[in-house]
């Protein structure tokens, strides 16, 4: 059965009208879902019993349930959820000085095949619906409601490539951003892509205020071809051209994500190459410590080694940060907990 979370505000008005109800019924349902955050249709007490019975016949509220939860010493919390068809997905809540952020998954598995990533250990089975993404957010938010706390930021950087599930991702963001729904500010939402060029053009034309992050991880085509198969389809020249268009259409700062892999992409010479590639963009580089994945064989750099790369970029005029490590005492790497659970099920 379809989840009511699949419908954004405008769509839920149309849904109500399709049953012959007045449009305000859709508004009421939306309010129950996102302001009252009910767990069941029966809790929507200002709807008639007949209306609730029809909704119960055709829809569910949440399409997922919790399978496993891990809490790190630093407060990072990883959730493993099962969807209606039994598929497993992960979400992560991280604590920052500016608030609590959730990392949302967009696909079951991933087809991008990045050499260092646990997500690609299993191929994409299917896209998540927008409702399955909304449900990840709401599960965590309902936990925080118990202490009158809230999620303030969203990063769409979990398992899968968001721009390979573009329409559902944009529908999800419409719901969480809506001021009659969850009201997460546009500038508190970041969507990441490994470089699906046609969707970057589409995203540029949306003219939203969402932040765009590019998973780069290499300063040249030769290395990026080895690390990220997407580069064969959309090499750096095409990617940077698409980003030029995005910058023309949107006065927004770009983020470039760069995982530091020991002995692979972390040399001072590669830092200078990266600076040359990015010079002139309103952008900064987010240097990311690598959470080792047993099956991949890559190693992370030390903080001292990361600082050498950082200093080289800064001296070349490229703003950058070294991302604080989160959850290094749990299965922190993207897709890692899911892979362990799948292996457990095979034994």
């Amino acid at each position: 059965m379809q989840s009511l979370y699949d419908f954004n505000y405008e769509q839920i008005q149309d849904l109500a009208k399709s049953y012959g109800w007045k449009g305000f019924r859709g508004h009421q349902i939306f309010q129950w879902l996102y302001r009252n955050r009910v767990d069941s249709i029966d809790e929507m007490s200002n709807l008639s019993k007949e209306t609730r019975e029809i909704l119960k016949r055709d829809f569910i509220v949440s399409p997922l349930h919790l399978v496993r939860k891990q809490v790190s010493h630093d407060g990072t919390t990883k959730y493993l959820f099962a969807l209606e068809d039994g598929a497993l997905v992960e979400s992560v809540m991280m604590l920052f000085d500016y608030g609590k952020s959730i990392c949302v998954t967009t696909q079951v598995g991933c087809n991008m095949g990045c050499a260092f990533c646990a997500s690609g250990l299993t191929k994409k089975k299917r896209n998540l619906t927008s409702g399955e993404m909304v449900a990840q957010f709401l599960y965590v938010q309902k936990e925080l409601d118990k202490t009158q706390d809230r999620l303030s930021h969203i990063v769409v950087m979990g398992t899968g490539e968001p721009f390979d599930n573009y329409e559902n991702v944009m529908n999800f963001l419409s719901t969480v951003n809506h001021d009659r729904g969850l009201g997460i500010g546009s500038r508190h939402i970041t969507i990441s892509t490994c470089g699906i060029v046609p969707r970057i053009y589409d995203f540029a034309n949306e003219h939203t205020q969402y932040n765009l992050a590019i998973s780069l991880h290499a300063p040249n085509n030769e290395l990026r071809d080895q690390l990220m198969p997407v580069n064969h389809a959309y090499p750096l020249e095409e990617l940077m051209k698409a980003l030029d268009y995005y910058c023309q259409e949107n006065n927004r700062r770009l983020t470039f994500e760069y995982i530091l892999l020991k002995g692979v992409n972390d040399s001072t010479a590669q830092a200078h190459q990266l600076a040359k590639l990015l010079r002139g963009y309103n952008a900064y580089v987010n240097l990311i410590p690598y959470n080792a994945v047993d099956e991949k064989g890559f190693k992370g750099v030390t903080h001292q080694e990361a600082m050498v790369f950082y200093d080289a970029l800064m001296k070349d005029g490229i703003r950058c940060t070294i991302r604080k490590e989160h959850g290094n005492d749990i299965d922190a790497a993207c897709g890692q907990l899911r892979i362990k659970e799948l292996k457990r099920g095979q034994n």
Side-chain angles (χ1 to χ4, degrees), residues 73-88:
H73 65 86
D74 63 14
T76 300
T77 306
K78 175 164 270 197
Y79 300 84
L80 182 69
F81 298 115
L83 305 176
E84 286 286 287
D85 62 358
L88 299 174

Side-chain angles (χ1 to χ4, degrees), residues 79-203:
Y79 300 84
L80 182 69
F81 298 115
L83 305 176
E84 286 286 287
D85 62 358
L88 299 174
V89 297
E90 293 176 356
S91 305
V92 183
M93 182 185 72
M94 296 163 287
L95 279 59
F96 296 93
D97 293 339
Y98 54 74
K100 292 180 170 64
S101 179
I102 183 171
C103 181
V104 173
T105 281
T106 60
Q107 296 178 316
V108 179
C110 183
N111 276 347
M112 295 301 106
C114 297
F116 47 81
C117 183
S119 297
L121 289 171
T122 57
K123 294 297 183 183
K124 184 182 91 171
K125 300 293 190 296
R126 66 173 176 87
N127 289 327
L128 264 61
T129 67
S130 58
E132 288 168 333
M133 294 176 233
V134 170
Q136 294 172 55
F137 181 100
L138 275 174
Y139 186 95
V140 178
Q141 181 55 61
K142 287 177 182 180
E143 283 202 336
L144 295 177
D145 285 341
K146 298 170 186 175
T147 56
Q148 296 184 318
D149 205 348
R150 69 186 292 267
L151 292 167
S152 59
H153 291 69
I154 298 173
V155 290
V156 189
M157 298 181 184
T159 299
E161 162 55 50
F163 279 4
D164 190 35
N165 187 13
Y166 185 81
E167 290 185 6
N168 286 334
V169 167
M170 295 306 291
N171 201 54
F172 154 66
L173 295 181
S174 171
T175 294
V176 295
N177 174 239
H178 202 286
D179 58 5
R180 291 183 174 177
L182 293 162
I184 304 298
S186 297
R187 298 189 179 199
H188 290 180
I189 295 171
T190 301
I191 182 169
S192 174
T193 179
C194 66
I196 309 295
V197 163
R199 300 291 82 76
I200 293 175
Y201 284 103
D202 291 340
F203 187 70

